[in-house]
Amino acid sequence: MRDDEPVIDPKLLKPYNPKDTEDRIYKLWEDSGFFNPDVCIEKGTIKEDAEPFTLIMPPTNANGSLHAGHGLVMAIEDLIVRYKRMRGFKTLWLPGLDHAGFETQVVYERKLEKEGRTRFGMDKNELYKEILDFTLHNSKNINGQVRKMGSSCDWSREKFTLDDNVVKTVYQTFKKLYDDELVYRGNRIVSWCTKHQTSFSDLEIKDEERVEPYYYLKYGPFVISTSRPETKFGDKYVVMHPSDERYKEYKDGQKIDLEWINGPITATIIKDESIDMEFGTGVMTITPWHDSVDFEIAERRGLEKEQIIDENGKLLPIAGEFTEMNIKKARPLIIEKLQSKGLVEKIDENYKHVVRTCYKCGTILEPQIKNQWFIKMKPLAEKALEIIQNDKIKYIPEHYKKITVHWLLNIMDWNISRQIVWGIPIPAKICVKCGNGMVDLENKISKCEKCKGEVKQDPDTFDTWFSSGQWPFATLGYPDNKDFKTYYPTDVMETAGEIIFFWVSRMIMLGLYVTGKIPFKTVYLHGLVLDAKGQKMSKSKGNVIDPLILTDKYGTDAFRIGLIIGNTPGTSLSLSEDKIRAYKNYANKLWNITRFVLSNIDEVEYEEDFDNYSKKDKELLKEQDKLIEEITKEMDEYKFYIVGEKIYQYTWSRFADVILEESKKIFASTSEKEIISRKQFLLHTLDKILKILHPFMPFVTEEIWQTMKKGSSLLMVEKWPASTDASQGGPIQND
RNA sequence: GCGCGAUUAGCUCAGUUGGUAGAGCAACCCGUUUACACCGGGAAGGUCGGGGGUUCGAGUCCCUCAUCGCGCACCA
């Protein structure tokens, strides 16, 4: 070895090995404390008066392990956060866990089922404790996997939806809604899952198209049609349009006697304008307890409502001989009986219609009248609409704005009561006598405020989205916490487009309602991660890609940038192993570029002297500055897929294939000026590439940085490159 | 029924305000020249879903149709 031969770290002589690197680098970051903006200020990497940048992580459901969708969240959000941190913002990325009420309970019930147990009949407290243990155990696992992805979130601020202070905020919001008469307890039609024994909001429903027989039945002088004869036992109102000429001989309120399923009944004629004369015979009977349209008519007209089907999907005594029978079993038998009585006009065997099913188990949801808590959404939605229509919140991609507006304009009241154990208990008392509900945060109410009757604790829990809908301000300690004052409103809400209504829109409404401010300025929505064939991943199809297998095989960096490049917001992404492999090669390419640059340079630290650059290198620098300028602009516009491609192109096709090759010739020449200039340029460029690439591929870039700088600084808190002739290093120059 | 997307090279997708079609992967040919074979060089590959319109000029704007995907509302 000659004296002037540079000493290359022997590590660089072998291909880049993520396995030897990632855990060590993550520990280096975590130990540095720089994930916490307070530490950044303390150690001087960020100015105290720097502009804050806040991103609240969608709280991970603590009921399983990391899937490809989480991988995408981490890749995108960590990219955003690392970029902002390097731009000099006081950057907070707050991680969290969601107890995920019903979702988790379903997962846990499956586990119980496998063990031959069931939640029904279990002691409530016992069940709660078991699910809590399960959740806490999973959360450790999940957090380990979030770390594996390289996430630079502030663990010291981690929140759980069941933390005392979060629950306190949720309770106060509930009370405020109650005091403002925006939450009410009332008997309303809800969608009831007979398997899970709980009601849902209008969102937890999956519509399924089915072909089923459709029955035309003789109801006295009328013919009515139905796909659900088993609900018809109690039908004693027959409704038609007041101006329907066919039925003008009948008067509103008129009683008629007729033979029905279980014998003679007296029916009442109702004339109502909500009836569509064009549909069928223009006559229908109503079942207010099990149909929302019928319920609405009955409410409006003050008609009686009678329950026909119980909570288990079995017929009640009104069904006579069919009592206790499961509706599925009862239907053909009822039709048989009707046929024998000559009451079936005809049957259409190929009737196509949509049934509402439980989005988890596919069980047909039974509309039932239930006394539950509902939030009046119209007033909340109106405020949100005003904000959204005035573009106070930026949607990426834009068309989600339209989708949100459309939903808000047609919003329904939100049922927030769930009949499950796993969740935040509703702090309310229910009157045993009159059913009145009273919010009671201090547990002081002992008699009904309306009828002085006895009260009991509401046994229900909140819809999990009611608590997560308050996540941005609940996590930051609304209203008095310093973090709330510094970091709210947050900057970006990055999450799956799928939960635009469930979560994003409700956060906007509740955020505006509680804090009076928008909860975030930008909504960035990503699509689904599909398999290589473009199929949705599902356990039953067996095409689920485990992100940890891919990171293990190709490295986290390769996985991350593979999720970014070729992925535009809002559209789904096909994930193929070929693609990830290609970026593994890219990480190695960068590694070898470093080896070439360092092995040709005698001094690792050069004073940058652009004036003495050769003419050629000045041109190259100009080209590079232009690229940096473009890239920075695109980063600010959240066009990461473009930046990823550009930096990939530049490093590989431009820097490696052309500039490095050309450098070999220059280094063999005799012009000292050109040699020095080129060496400076190579080092300058490597520095810029590492910085730009860091948010995309944090591990390999940091590892190279550590090798070059011999551990004297951390790339994650270096400044984002500005072009050499323009200052654009961020909102605040921190030097 | 209403709404929102998508349709560009074999595959996955870019294509900013209309100005000669791009990338990655795969496939093909050549090449072991000490940064890298987890590589290099080269060539090939598209009437931008169909039709119509606006324009000097359309992948891009307008209309229409088709196919696929996704929401919302559903009707007794």
Side-chain angles (χ1 to χ4, degrees):
Chain A
M1 187 186 283
R2 301 199 322 259
D3 283 351
D4 58 346
E5 190 98 340
V7 182
I8 288 289
D9 192 313
K11 199 161 56 187
L12 284 168
L13 297 175
K14 283 182 265 170
Y16 171 62
N17 185 350
K19 279 190 193 169
D20 289 350
T21 306
E22 294 178 358
D23 290 348
R24 175 167 41 82
I25 292 288
Y26 194 85
K27 189 167 186 306
L28 187 69
W29 291 330
E30 205 172 358
D31 290 349
S32 77
F34 286 132
F35 293 169
N36 181 341
D38 300 334
V39 174
C40 293
I41 291 166
E42 215 173 278
K43 295 195 180 170
T45 63
I46 284 174
K47 279 192 171 177
E48 188 155 11
D49 59 353
E51 198 182 313
F53 179 89
T54 318
L55 194 162
I56 308 285
M57 187 190 290
T60 35
N61 288 5
N63 56 32
S65 58
L66 211 72
H67 55 68
H70 291 120
L72 182 60
V73 169
M74 299 309 152
I76 296 172
E77 296 189 6
D78 192 50
L79 184 155
I80 294 172
V81 163
R82 285 182 188 270
Y83 170 66
K84 293 292 178 179
R85 193 183 289 119
M86 291 174 85
R87 285 292 300 264
F89 287 88
K90 193 190 288 180
T91 306
L92 173 62
W93 185 20
L94 190 147
L97 283 167
D98 195 344
H99 69 283
F102 179 65
E103 293 274 336
T104 301
Q105 178 140 341
V106 168
V107 171
Y108 199 76
E109 278 175 27
R110 276 193 205 124
K111 185 172 129 67
L112 285 175
E113 220 169 276
K114 272 185 203 158
E115 295 164 2
R117 302 159 67 201
T118 165
R119 76 153 148 136
F120 302 108
M122 266 181 90
D123 177 66
K124 275 190 160 191
N125 294 329
E126 191 57 37
L127 177 62
Y128 184 92
K129 200 185 161 298
E130 276 193 34
I131 303 180
L132 181 65
D133 287 347
F134 173 74
T135 301
L136 294 178
H137 176 263
N138 278 324
S139 72
K140 271 186 206 148
N141 191 22
I142 290 257
N143 282 352
Q145 293 168 336
V146 171
R147 283 180 164 85
K148 194 84 199 145
M149 286 296 299
S151 312
S152 62
C153 48
D154 183 359
W155 293 107
S156 73
R157 283 177 165 89
E158 189 188 2
K159 292 287 183 298
F160 179 36
T161 47
L162 299 182
D163 285 348
D164 287 347
N165 46 5
V166 173
V167 171
K168 198 178 149 201
T169 303
V170 170
Y171 279 3
Q172 279 163 351
T173 302
F174 185 56
K175 180 75 164 64
K176 182 174 156 70
L177 285 162
Y178 180 74
D179 291 343
D180 290 346
E181 293 180 357
L182 288 171
V183 71
Y184 63 93
R185 189 172 173 88
N187 283 302
R188 293 283 177 280
I189 290 269
V190 296
S191 297
W192 178 265
C193 177
T194 51
K195 185 185 168 197
H196 290 115
Q197 293 288 302
T198 185
S199 64
F200 293 120
S201 74
D202 54 306
L203 290 178
E204 281 107 335
I205 286 169
K206 198 171 175 263
D207 286 343
E208 229 181 83
E209 194 163 89
R210 298 216 175 152
V211 176
E212 287 181 324
Y214 192 63
Y215 308 97
Y216 291 81
L217 308 175
K218 290 179 192 159
Y219 188 84
F222 308 106
V223 173
I224 58 156
S225 51
T226 183
S227 59
R228 303 205 56 197
E230 69 277 10
T231 63
K232 295 285 159 198
F233 291 101
D235 287 12
K236 54 187 173 187
Y237 298 104
V238 57
V239 194
M240 59 211 74
H241 198 278
S243 43
D244 194 328
E245 287 295 308
R246 290 171 291 182
Y247 309 110
K248 64 179 175 189
E249 62 193 275
Y250 301 99
K251 302 277 171 273
D252 184 66
Q254 185 184 339
K255 309 246 188 241
I256 52 167
D257 292 317
L258 55 94
E259 180 63 23
W260 195 223
I261 312 171
N262 285 337
I265 61 160
T266 302
T268 308
I269 307 277
I270 301 286
K271 298 270 182 159
D272 196 280
E273 297 193 337
S274 65
I275 296 295
D276 179 0
M277 285 187 276
E278 307 294 312
F279 187 83
T281 56
V283 181
M284 71 173 192
T285 60
I286 59 168
T287 316
W289 202 284
H290 301 290
D291 185 287
S292 56
V293 175
D294 296 2
F295 175 84
E296 189 275 323
I297 295 172
E299 275 286 281
R300 198 153 36 78
R301 306 292 297 258
L303 309 179
E304 282 173 46
K305 311 181 191 89
E306 192 167 4
Q307 187 173 9
I308 315 297
I309 299 162
D310 75 3
E311 267 112 62
N312 297 309
K314 288 189 174 147
L315 288 161
L316 288 163
I318 190 173
E321 64 192 273
F322 305 100
T323 305
E324 286 288 302
M325 209 179 267
N326 186 297
I327 51 172
K328 201 176 168 189
K329 194 178 157 203
R331 186 183 294 180
L333 299 174
I334 294 165
I335 287 301
E336 214 171 275
K337 183 167 182 193
L338 284 165
Q339 266 168 331
S340 72
K341 293 179 84 169
L343 294 176
V344 179
E345 168 96 2
K346 62 170 177 171
I347 302 174
D348 175 0
E349 293 289 345
N350 292 307
Y351 183 66
K352 209 194 260 181
H353 71 146
V354 169
V355 294
R356 309 190 125 189
T357 63
C358 170
Y359 79 115
K360 278 291 161 196
C361 69
T363 301
I364 294 179
L365 293 173
E366 190 60 57
Q368 290 274 9
I369 295 179
K370 286 267 166 193
N371 191 19
Q372 311 213 325
W373 293 102
F374 295 86
I375 299 182
K376 277 186 206 161
M377 297 307 285
K378 280 263 182 300
L380 300 179
E382 274 162 21
K383 280 187 187 152
L385 274 167
E386 196 190 318
I387 294 291
I388 293 165
Q389 284 174 326
N390 287 318
D391 293 318
K392 297 285 195 294
I393 294 175
K394 183 180 167 63
Y395 281 85
I396 301 172
E398 267 174 34
H399 73 261
Y400 274 99
K401 178 184 154 182
K402 284 189 209 165
I403 293 174
T404 302
V405 166
H406 185 254
W407 183 72
L408 286 171
L409 287 171
N410 297 293
I411 200 158
M412 289 187 266
D413 282 359
W414 177 11
N415 169 23
I416 53 171
S417 296
R418 294 291 175 278
Q419 292 68 51
I420 56 172
V421 170
W422 184 239
I424 299 176
I426 298 180
K429 292 288 190 319
I430 310 301
C431 176
V432 179
K433 205 168 136 203
C434 73
N436 182 32
M438 295 146 276
V439 173
D440 183 16
L441 298 191
E442 275 112 31
N443 203 21
K444 283 202 295 214
I445 296 175
S446 58
K447 271 193 181 145
C448 177
E449 289 164 355
K450 271 193 189 156
C451 73
K452 303 291 172 206
E454 219 179 295
V455 294
K456 59 165 188 175
Q457 175 61 40
D458 186 339
D460 292 347
T461 51
F462 282 123
D463 179 357
T464 197
W465 297 104
F466 182 63
S467 46
S468 45
Q470 303 175 47
W471 202 232
F473 58 89
T475 51
L476 292 170
Y478 170 81
D480 297 323
N481 197 287
K482 187 167 168 264
D483 274 358
F484 178 76
K485 287 172 185 161
T486 309
Y487 295 105
Y488 191 91
T490 71
D491 289 272
V492 182
M493 176 46 60
E494 194 287 330
T495 191
E498 263 188 320
I499 53 175
I500 177 99
F501 307 139
F502 277 103
W503 198 41
V504 180
S505 305
R506 285 164 173 173
M507 277 191 287
I508 295 171
M509 288 186 280
L510 290 172
L512 283 169
Y513 171 66
V514 174
T515 72
K517 289 180 188 165
I518 50 163
F520 31 74
K521 296 162 198 152
T522 300
V523 177
Y524 182 105
L525 297 159
H526 62 254
L528 294 168
V529 184
L530 308 175
D531 75 359
K533 288 176 194 153
Q535 301 275 311
K536 193 167 176 171
M537 291 186 199
S538 75
K539 279 176 195 158
S540 54
K541 273 188 227 154
N543 61 347
V544 175
I545 300 175
D546 180 350
L548 295 174
I549 290 175
L550 288 180
T551 54
D552 194 58
K553 212 164 159 186
Y554 303 108
T556 301
D557 290 325
F559 180 58
R560 285 178 51 145
I561 197 167
L563 288 169
I564 298 294
I565 293 181
N567 184 12
T568 36
T571 56
S572 50
L573 166 82
S574 296
L575 186 63
S576 74
E577 230 176 293
D578 280 347
K579 192 173 165 190
I580 308 299
R581 193 187 309 115
Y583 294 116
K584 177 187 192 279
N585 297 348
Y586 178 54
N588 192 54
K589 186 75 183 178
L590 192 66
W591 194 251
N592 285 300
I593 286 170
T594 306
R595 188 202 303 180
F596 177 84
V597 172
L598 296 187
S599 64
N600 281 290
I601 283 171
D602 16 31
E603 284 291 331
V604 170
E605 294 292 343
Y606 272 109
E607 280 298 312
E608 288 196 317
D609 182 8
F610 302 122
D611 291 341
N612 277 324
Y613 265 27
S614 67
K615 199 176 160 224
K616 174 80 191 165
D617 290 340
K618 277 182 182 160
E619 276 166 25
L620 289 175
L621 188 65
K622 212 172 158 188
E623 170 194 79
Q624 189 186 100
D625 280 348
K626 192 169 162 274
L627 178 74
I628 292 172
E629 207 173 302
E630 275 171 34
I631 278 179
T632 304
K633 187 166 168 274
E634 283 153 355
M635 288 296 281
D636 288 334
E637 291 167 352
Y638 297 91
K639 292 179 180 168
F640 312 124
Y641 57 103
I642 292 179
V643 176
E645 252 186 73
K646 279 190 178 169
I647 193 67
Y648 178 98
Q649 284 298 313
Y650 184 73
T651 25
W652 202 316
S653 310
R654 187 74 185 138
F655 191 54
D657 290 347
V658 177
I659 298 173
L660 293 192
E661 290 306 319
E662 188 186 78
S663 303
K664 290 175 187 171
K665 286 178 203 140
I666 292 174
F667 293 152
S669 79
T670 51
S671 164
E672 196 62 23
K673 183 187 164 172
E674 277 188 23
I675 292 172
I676 300 252
S677 166
R678 179 49 62 102
K679 285 181 177 178
Q680 286 187 15
F681 178 74
L682 294 187
L683 201 60
H684 172 86
T685 303
L686 182 58
D687 176 276
K688 300 293 178 240
I689 287 173
L690 290 173
K691 285 172 181 168
I692 291 170
L693 214 43
H694 181 69
F696 295 82
M697 308 180 90
F699 288 110
V700 65
T701 50
E702 185 74 77
E703 175 75 337
I704 292 171
W705 189 265
Q706 292 307 312
T707 307
M708 287 169 70
K709 303 285 172 177
K710 310 221 172 351
S712 63
S713 68
L714 277 175
L715 180 57
M716 72 165 280
V717 288
E718 283 292 314
K719 278 172 61 186
W720 180 261
S723 31
T724 46
D725 56 351
S727 73
Q728 47 162 310
I732 308 238
Q733 295 293 331
N734 23 259
D735 35 42

mmCIF file of all heavy atoms in Angstrom, chain A residues 498 528-531 534-538 541 543:
data_model
loop_
_atom_site.group_PDB
_atom_site.id
_atom_site.type_symbol
_atom_site.label_atom_id
_atom_site.label_comp_id
_atom_site.label_asym_id
_atom_site.label_seq_id
_atom_site.Cartn_x
_atom_site.Cartn_y
_atom_site.Cartn_z
ATOM 1 N N GLU A 498 -59.122 4.052 2.289
ATOM 2 C CA GLU A 498 -60.234 3.214 2.750
ATOM 3 C C GLU A 498 -60.994 3.782 3.951
ATOM 4 O O GLU A 498 -62.173 3.534 4.109
ATOM 5 C CB GLU A 498 -59.657 1.871 3.223
ATOM 6 C CG GLU A 498 -59.710 0.761 2.231
ATOM 7 C CD GLU A 498 -59.284 -0.547 2.914
ATOM 8 O OE1 GLU A 498 -58.340 -0.534 3.727
ATOM 9 O OE2 GLU A 498 -59.898 -1.559 2.631
ATOM 10 N N LEU A 528 -54.363 0.752 -1.414
ATOM 11 C CA LEU A 528 -54.098 -0.579 -0.873
ATOM 12 C C LEU A 528 -52.780 -1.115 -1.407
ATOM 13 O O LEU A 528 -52.334 -0.729 -2.477
ATOM 14 C CB LEU A 528 -55.206 -1.545 -1.309
ATOM 15 C CG LEU A 528 -56.610 -1.303 -0.765
ATOM 16 C CD1 LEU A 528 -57.601 -2.167 -1.528
ATOM 17 C CD2 LEU A 528 -56.658 -1.610 0.720
ATOM 18 N N VAL A 529 -52.182 -2.008 -0.651
ATOM 19 C CA VAL A 529 -51.038 -2.746 -1.178
ATOM 20 C C VAL A 529 -51.565 -4.092 -1.674
ATOM 21 O O VAL A 529 -52.135 -4.864 -0.910
ATOM 22 C CB VAL A 529 -49.967 -2.977 -0.096
ATOM 23 C CG1 VAL A 529 -48.744 -3.655 -0.702
ATOM 24 C CG2 VAL A 529 -49.570 -1.660 0.547
ATOM 25 N N LEU A 530 -51.404 -4.310 -2.961
ATOM 26 C CA LEU A 530 -51.893 -5.556 -3.557
ATOM 27 C C LEU A 530 -50.716 -6.492 -3.821
ATOM 28 O O LEU A 530 -49.565 -6.079 -3.767
ATOM 29 C CB LEU A 530 -52.608 -5.241 -4.880
ATOM 30 C CG LEU A 530 -53.693 -4.166 -4.821
ATOM 31 C CD1 LEU A 530 -54.222 -3.869 -6.213
ATOM 32 C CD2 LEU A 530 -54.837 -4.620 -3.916
ATOM 33 N N ASP A 531 -51.015 -7.728 -4.154
ATOM 34 C CA ASP A 531 -49.929 -8.648 -4.488
ATOM 35 C C ASP A 531 -49.453 -8.380 -5.915
ATOM 36 O O ASP A 531 -49.971 -7.499 -6.606
ATOM 37 C CB ASP A 531 -50.358 -10.106 -4.267
ATOM 38 C CG ASP A 531 -51.308 -10.613 -5.350
ATOM 39 O OD1 ASP A 531 -51.646 -9.831 -6.271
ATOM 40 O OD2 ASP A 531 -51.723 -11.768 -5.267
ATOM 41 N N GLY A 534 -51.904 -7.941 -8.613
ATOM 42 C CA GLY A 534 -52.924 -6.923 -8.453
ATOM 43 C C GLY A 534 -54.127 -7.399 -7.660
ATOM 44 O O GLY A 534 -55.182 -6.791 -7.695
ATOM 45 N N GLN A 535 -53.974 -8.508 -6.951
ATOM 46 C CA GLN A 535 -55.066 -9.028 -6.129
ATOM 47 C C GLN A 535 -54.950 -8.494 -4.714
ATOM 48 O O GLN A 535 -53.849 -8.335 -4.202
ATOM 49 C CB GLN A 535 -54.968 -10.560 -6.042
ATOM 50 C CG GLN A 535 -55.024 -11.258 -7.376
ATOM 51 C CD GLN A 535 -56.433 -11.497 -7.843
ATOM 52 O OE1 GLN A 535 -57.257 -12.003 -7.107
ATOM 53 N NE2 GLN A 535 -56.728 -11.087 -9.073
ATOM 54 N N LYS A 536 -56.097 -8.267 -4.129
ATOM 55 C CA LYS A 536 -56.098 -7.848 -2.741
ATOM 56 C C LYS A 536 -55.557 -8.992 -1.876
ATOM 57 O O LYS A 536 -55.888 -10.145 -2.080
ATOM 58 C CB LYS A 536 -57.551 -7.527 -2.325
ATOM 59 C CG LYS A 536 -57.641 -6.790 -1.008
ATOM 60 C CD LYS A 536 -59.035 -6.219 -0.797
ATOM 61 C CE LYS A 536 -59.138 -5.568 0.572
ATOM 62 N NZ LYS A 536 -60.364 -4.833 0.770
ATOM 63 N N MET A 537 -54.670 -8.593 -0.949
ATOM 64 C CA MET A 537 -54.099 -9.652 -0.103
ATOM 65 C C MET A 537 -55.124 -10.101 0.923
ATOM 66 O O MET A 537 -55.777 -9.279 1.549
ATOM 67 C CB MET A 537 -52.889 -9.115 0.649
ATOM 68 C CG MET A 537 -51.705 -8.820 -0.238
ATOM 69 S SD MET A 537 -50.281 -8.368 0.758
ATOM 70 C CE MET A 537 -49.280 -7.550 -0.478
ATOM 71 N N SER A 538 -55.243 -11.397 1.078
ATOM 72 C CA SER A 538 -56.109 -11.886 2.135
ATOM 73 C C SER A 538 -55.617 -13.246 2.600
ATOM 74 O O SER A 538 -55.018 -14.003 1.833
ATOM 75 C CB SER A 538 -57.555 -11.975 1.651
ATOM 76 O OG SER A 538 -57.714 -13.087 0.807
ATOM 77 N N LYS A 541 -56.931 -16.189 0.630
ATOM 78 C CA LYS A 541 -56.332 -16.434 -0.684
ATOM 79 C C LYS A 541 -54.888 -16.916 -0.554
ATOM 80 O O LYS A 541 -54.304 -17.421 -1.505
ATOM 81 C CB LYS A 541 -56.335 -15.141 -1.517
ATOM 82 C CG LYS A 541 -57.611 -14.926 -2.298
ATOM 83 C CD LYS A 541 -57.444 -13.734 -3.239
ATOM 84 C CE LYS A 541 -58.629 -12.807 -3.159
ATOM 85 N NZ LYS A 541 -58.346 -11.424 -3.515
ATOM 86 N N ASN A 543 -52.262 -15.098 -0.252
ATOM 87 C CA ASN A 543 -51.306 -14.272 -1.000
ATOM 88 C C ASN A 543 -50.802 -13.097 -0.161
ATOM 89 O O ASN A 543 -50.367 -12.086 -0.694
ATOM 90 C CB ASN A 543 -51.953 -13.760 -2.294
ATOM 91 C CG ASN A 543 -53.172 -12.889 -2.010
ATOM 92 O OD1 ASN A 543 -53.675 -12.866 -0.887
ATOM 93 N ND2 ASN A 543 -53.629 -12.170 -2.998
#
